[in-house]
Amino acid sequence: MTEVATARRSRITPEREAELYEAVLDLLREVGYDALTMDAVAARTRSSKATLYRQWGGKPELVAKAIRHGKPGRAGDIDTGSLRGDFRMLVSREDDCTMERNSALMRGLFMAVHTNPDLLRAFKELLVEPEMDEFRSLLQRAIDRGEIRADCPALEYVVHMLIGAFATRALIDDHPPTQEFLTSYIDAVVLPALGVPTV
Amino acid sequence: MTEVATARRSRITPEREAELYEAVLDLLREVGYDALTMDAVAARTRSSKATLYRQWGGKPELVAKAIRHGKPGRAGDIDTGSLRGDFRMLVSREDDCTMERNSALMRGLFMAVHTNPDLLRAFKELLVEPEMDEFRSLLQRAIDRGEIRADCPALEYVVHMLIGAFATRALIDDHPPTQEFLTSYIDAVVLPALGVPTV
C-alpha cells in the first residue's frame, strides 16, 4: 500500500519503481556500495539524477528501499495457523541460490554500514524497523493463539537469533545459509527458546 | 602449553611473544587488516621480517594468533559447577569497555575476512576451531552433570547463538554488546534452547 501511495505521489508507476530498484540491486552486486554512484543509477535507468534525489533523498535511502523491495513479500502476511508453519513458510520463500546471492549482497552491505553512518540510519529506518514490525505481527498472532507466553523473554531476541544465524553461518561453517540449515536452526534454537514445542 | 612449546621451539620467550601480539593488535586498531604490513610489525617490534615469517608463516596467521592471544584465558578452564555459572563467568571476563573495543576490532576483521580467503582460513584454523574445542569441553561438563541432554539439537548451534548475538547487537540496537545484554540473551535464548532452567 505504502509503495503504491509513494509512487502516486511522485508520479512514478510501481512498474517503473520496481525496474529502478532492480537496476540498483544489479549495480550493488557489480560494484558494491562505495563505488555505486547516483550517476551510474541514472545512466542505467535512463532517469535524471534530479528525479532520483527528489524521489529518494539520496543514495543510502535508495539502496535501503531497493533491498526492501527485493525481499519476497511481507513476513506479516504469512499466516499458516502455527508459528512453526509461519517460520517454515518464511524460510521457503527464498531458494538456496537466491539466499546465497542475497547473503553475499548483505555481507557487502554490512561492511559498508560500518563506514557509512547514513547508510546505517537508512537501513534501520527503511529496512530493519519495518521488517521488525512485520515480524512482531507474526509473533503477536502466535501469542494470541497461546503458542508463546506474552512475557517470554526470548521474544525481544527473535531477530537477533535469526539474523545472527544467517550472518555467522558462512564464517563458522564454510557454507552459505540454506533452507535446510535455517529450518534446523529454527527447530533447535528459536522455537525452544520461545517455549514452542517442535513436535 | 601449546604456546610455550611453540615459543621454545623457536627460541622466542613467552614475554616476547606476548609483546609482539600486543603490537599487532595495536596496529590492527590503528590501520586495519588490509593496511597492516609485516614491515610495520617488524619496525614496531624491532624484529626482522624473516623472524616473523619463520615464526608465523605469514600475516593471516600472525593476526589470528594475536587475536587468540588477546582473549582472556581459555573457556575450557572455566568450571563453576553449573552451565549458567560458566556462561556468567565467560561474560564477566571482559568489561564493557574492552568488549566495545574488541567488538570494533572484530567487525573490522569480519570485513577483511570477506576479501581475504587466507585470513578466513587462518581464522578458522587458529581461532574458531580452538575456541569451539574449548567450548565443547565446557558443554561436555554440563552434559556429564546431567544439565543438558547429550542429544539436544541446540548443542551444535551454541557458537552461532553467541557470535550471532554479539555481531547483530550493534546493527539492530545501536549499542555495542555489553555484559548486561549478553547475560540477558543467554538467560532468554541460549539456556532455554539447551533445555537448562534459568531459575
Side-chain angles (χ1 to χ4, degrees), chain A residues 114 124 157 160 171 173 184, chain B residues 111 124 157 160 171 173 184:
Chain A
H114 190 55
K124 276 184 207 282
Y157 299 125
H160 297 84
L171 186 66
D173 305 294
S184 153
Chain B
M111 289 163 52
K124 278 186 204 279
Y157 297 125
H160 297 83
L171 186 66
D173 306 295
S184 154

Side-chain angles (χ1 to χ4, degrees), chain A residues 138-157:
Chain A
L138 187 153
L139 292 169
Q140 185 58 50
R141 282 198 297 271
I143 295 170
D144 296 343
R145 281 190 302 261
E147 284 191 277
I148 310 177
R149 287 178 46 166
D151 62 354
C152 175
L155 272 171
E156 63 178 300
Y157 299 125

Side-chain angles (χ1 to χ4, degrees), chain B residues 47-68:
Chain B
S47 22
S48 78
K49 262 171 58 175
T51 304
L52 297 179
Y53 278 106
R54 197 174 51 235
Q55 179 78 10
W56 284 280
K59 176 170 126 173
E61 293 79 12
L62 176 56
V63 166
K65 286 277 214 162
I67 299 278
R68 180 147 167 74

Side-chain angles (χ1 to χ4, degrees), chain A residues 107 110-111 113-114 120 124 132 153-154 157 159-161 163-164 167-168 170-174 181 184-185 188-189 192-193, chain B residues 107 110-111 114 120 124 132 153-154 157 159-161 163-164 167-168 170-174 181 184-185 188-189 192-193:
Chain A
R107 271 203 309 279
F110 191 67
M111 288 164 52
V113 155
H114 190 55
L120 179 59
K124 276 184 207 282
M132 285 181 74
Y157 299 125
V159 179
H160 297 84
M161 289 189 250
I163 300 189
T168 51
L171 186 66
I172 298 175
D173 305 294
D174 239 339
F181 163 72
S184 153
Y185 183 85
V189 172
Chain B
R107 272 204 306 281
F110 191 67
M111 289 163 52
H114 190 55
L120 179 59
K124 278 186 204 279
M132 287 181 74
Y157 297 125
V159 179
H160 297 83
M161 289 188 246
I163 300 189
T168 52
L171 186 66
I172 298 174
D173 306 295
D174 240 338
F181 163 71
S184 154
Y185 184 85
V189 172

